[in-house]
Amino acid sequence: MPPRASLRTTAKSLPEHARGNNRSLVLQTLYSDGAMSRADLARATGLTRVTISDLVAELLGEALVVEQGTRDEARPGKPATLVDIDRTGFRILGIDLSAHDAFRGALLDLDGGVHDRVIAALDGATGEAAVAKVVAVARELIARATVPILGVGIGSPGVVDLAGIVLTAPNLGWHDLPLQDVLVAELGLPVLVANDANVAALAEHSFGDALSDTMVVKIGNGVGAGLLVGGTLLSGARFSAGEIGHVVVGTDGGEPCACGKHGCLETWLAIPRLEARIAAAPAERDDILARAGERLGIALAPVVGALDLAEVVLSGPAHLLDGPLARAALDTLRSRTMAEFHGDLSLRGSALGEDIVMRGAAAMVLSGRLGVS
Ligand SMILES: [Zn+2]
């Protein structure tokens, strides 16, 4: 497995942080490489045997790490006891609030595997009623868990700040809603809330094949994106990095948008609009999709150029995104960027399917609670 940059944005080096850093390093090494002996762990991390023994004892005490029997070593002497993160001893609760008609939640294991699922129809709920639905989904999953829950991760539509306050999510009628704090109080568990497209980018980083410099474009009722630059998620000056849905594409007008402008990327690309156009002219399906892909390429080219991205990942219904749309987007991107830098740019569909936000929410909890990704 290639090394991956940590998602943590701060590189703390003060002495009081050293132990915490070493602890994360041990957990990250076990998480990425799997069970190994304490001696292997010392070699892999560059920490001393004594430090490793202390840290492993601490992690065993917290039940985050388990001993897994022994392995015969080539060297003479006592067989080495293997240790690993307790991958089956915890669940993570991931909830996806991004669909227009339902909230989807699941219990996930530490490797991002999805276990129990709950789908709650939204039935037009907004404001407090929508918050109550999130709480209900979480409580139902908590009741099903047979092992401790490490934390709750939520991918919400709209703009979400670093404290998990939903600054605005118009479709849910949420404004300045401290969703993270509300859920901590309701559930009594650690909770992390972030924008759904950013969470999708975390999923690609942890459980997909994302490169370090990647844009994950999530196309559904709206269009949003998460940006990984140097392996770090960008949040932006107002926590809205990647919000490209209401950027006007081109100077030739376009359909009116809910935001009041004309020709926003969302008017070209949102799934309900694509479906309506295809339903009205089924014979022109490929042309309709190619035109949407071209607009996506026009919108993304300056972003790819400015950030020197290596790939673009599309998340959404594959039957619409794969094919003419993706081909036109890539052709347009290549024709509008510099071949010597971006000639090998890749554009692909996400392999994580409909679970991408739930899995990204789990990745966020792993990163936030254990420092691993
Ligand atoms: Zn708009």
Side-chain angles (χ1 to χ4, degrees), residues 291-354:
R291 280 200 294 276
E294 184 186 14
R295 293 288 167 158
L296 177 63
I298 292 170
L300 295 191
V303 183
V304 166
L307 298 178
D308 188 12
L309 299 179
E311 69 172 347
V312 173
V313 178
L314 303 185
S315 168
H319 70 282
L320 293 174
L321 302 183
D322 291 355
L325 192 154
R327 278 198 298 278
L330 184 58
D331 288 348
T332 306
L333 271 171
R334 289 207 171 132
S335 70
R336 287 178 170 244
T337 51
M338 293 174 76
E340 61 265 50
F341 301 135
H342 308 298
D344 61 351
L345 176 83
S346 79
L347 183 145
R348 62 177 174 87
S350 170
L352 300 178
E354 286 204 320

Side-chain angles (χ1 to χ4, degrees), residues 242-265:
E243 289 291 320
I244 53 168
H246 294 287
V247 171
V248 174
V249 193
T251 54
D252 54 349
E255 291 185 6
C257 183
C259 73
K261 300 193 290 287
H262 283 72
C264 291
L265 184 59

Side-chain angles (χ1 to χ4, degrees), residues 161-370:
D161 75 8
L162 298 179
I165 298 172
V166 181
L167 301 179
T168 172
N171 293 343
L172 291 170
W174 289 348
H175 301 280
D176 296 323
L177 170 70
L179 185 60
Q180 190 168 297
D181 286 348
V182 168
L183 293 175
V184 167
E186 289 282 347
L187 305 174
L189 287 167
V191 179
L192 291 166
V193 180
N195 166 267
D196 57 346
N198 287 355
V199 164
L202 294 184
E204 278 295 326
H205 182 276
S206 289
F207 306 123
D209 299 315
L211 303 173
S212 291
D213 297 276
T214 297
M215 185 172 195
V216 178
V217 183
K218 192 169 177 297
I219 303 169
N221 265 2
V223 177
L227 280 155
L228 286 168
V229 176
T232 299
L233 195 61
L234 289 191
S235 61
R238 290 172 188 78
F239 314 106
S240 61
E243 289 291 320
I244 53 168
H246 294 287
V247 171
V248 174
V249 193
T251 54
D252 54 349
E255 291 185 6
C257 183
C259 73
K261 300 193 290 287
H262 283 72
C264 291
L265 184 59
E266 207 162 287
T267 66
W268 293 99
L269 213 58
I271 297 302
R273 298 215 191 212
L274 287 179
E275 285 173 339
R277 273 177 217 139
I278 291 168
E284 292 171 36
R285 180 180 189 278
D286 285 4
D287 286 343
I288 290 165
L289 292 171
R291 280 200 294 276
E294 184 186 14
R295 293 288 167 158
L296 177 63
I298 292 170
L300 295 191
V303 183
V304 166
L307 298 178
D308 188 12
L309 299 179
E311 69 172 347
V312 173
V313 178
L314 303 185
S315 168
H319 70 282
L320 293 174
L321 302 183
D322 291 355
L325 192 154
R327 278 198 298 278
L330 184 58
D331 288 348
T332 306
L333 271 171
R334 289 207 171 132
S335 70
R336 287 178 170 244
T337 51
M338 293 174 76
E340 61 265 50
F341 301 135
H342 308 298
D344 61 351
L345 176 83
S346 79
L347 183 145
R348 62 177 174 87
S350 170
L352 300 178
E354 286 204 320
D355 292 336
I356 188 167
V357 172
M358 292 193 302
R359 295 183 73 182
M364 176 165 66
V365 171
L366 276 169
S367 177
R369 294 277 289 138
L370 302 182

Side-chain angles (χ1 to χ4, degrees), residues 30-52:
L30 292 174
Y31 186 71
S32 302
D33 299 347
M36 64 179 77
S37 68
R38 288 170 176 79
D40 290 339
L41 204 44
R43 272 189 291 277
T45 59
L47 300 173
T48 67
R49 291 288 297 271
V50 172
T51 301
I52 290 294

